[in-house]
């Protein structure tokens, strides 16, 4: 019986679409990188350490993302331009995030899920991202 329970737990956690939503409030050490090319979408999280970055205000990022909604599994976005960011989760695991440069959505690479900000926050979010990008390119 114990083996059956373990087998079921393994199957449930490995099925596509079974990832949980991210608790943004537990994230920290947010950074944005001097990258805005589409190829950066395919860079591994470890590769980001080779690029210039600046820290973003964790509280501000969390405030924005706590209002985001996860898209249904299988839905994806159309990319016209990207910005790359990263964070650490509560377990101090380094994660990559691809930010849409215009659409108010983002892709979290580990969970492989898309999140979308409400329309009323998108302009403020974009302004916040652009202001941080100015800092990374000025340094």
């Amino acid at each position: 019986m114990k083996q059956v329970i373990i087998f079921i737990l393994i199957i449930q956690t490995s099925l596509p679409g079974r990832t949980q939503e991210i608790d943004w409030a537990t994230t920290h050490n947010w950074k944005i990188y001097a990258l805005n090319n589409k190829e950066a979408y395919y860079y591994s999280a470890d590769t980001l350490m080779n690029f210039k970055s600046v820290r973003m205000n964790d509280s501000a990022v969390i405030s924005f993302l706590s209002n985001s909604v996860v898209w249904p599994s299988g839905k994806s976005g159309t990319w016209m331009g990207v910005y790359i960011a990263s964070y650490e989760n509560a377990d101090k695991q380094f994660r990559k995030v691809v930010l849409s440069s215009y659409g108010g959505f983002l892709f979290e690479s580990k969970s492989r899920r898309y999140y979308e900000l409400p329309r009323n926050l998108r302009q403020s979010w974009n302004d916040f991202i652009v202001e941080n990008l100015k800092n990374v390119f000025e340094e």
Side-chain angles (χ1 to χ4, degrees), residues 79-94:
W79 298 97
M80 296 298 283
V82 301
Y83 304 125
I84 305 297
S86 68
Y87 70 92
E88 289 181 28
N89 66 11
D91 296 330
K92 302 210 183 281
Q93 295 173 329
F94 184 73

Side-chain angles (χ1 to χ4, degrees), residues 70-110:
V70 67
W71 286 357
S73 196
K75 181 179 176 181
S76 63
T78 301
W79 298 97
M80 296 298 283
V82 301
Y83 304 125
I84 305 297
S86 68
Y87 70 92
E88 289 181 28
N89 66 11
D91 296 330
K92 302 210 183 281
Q93 295 173 329
F94 184 73
R95 303 285 193 227
K96 175 181 139 187
V97 178
V98 182
L99 309 172
S100 168
S101 60
Y102 76 97
F105 65 91
L106 56 106
F107 178 75
E108 201 282 335
S109 62
K110 181 67 176 176

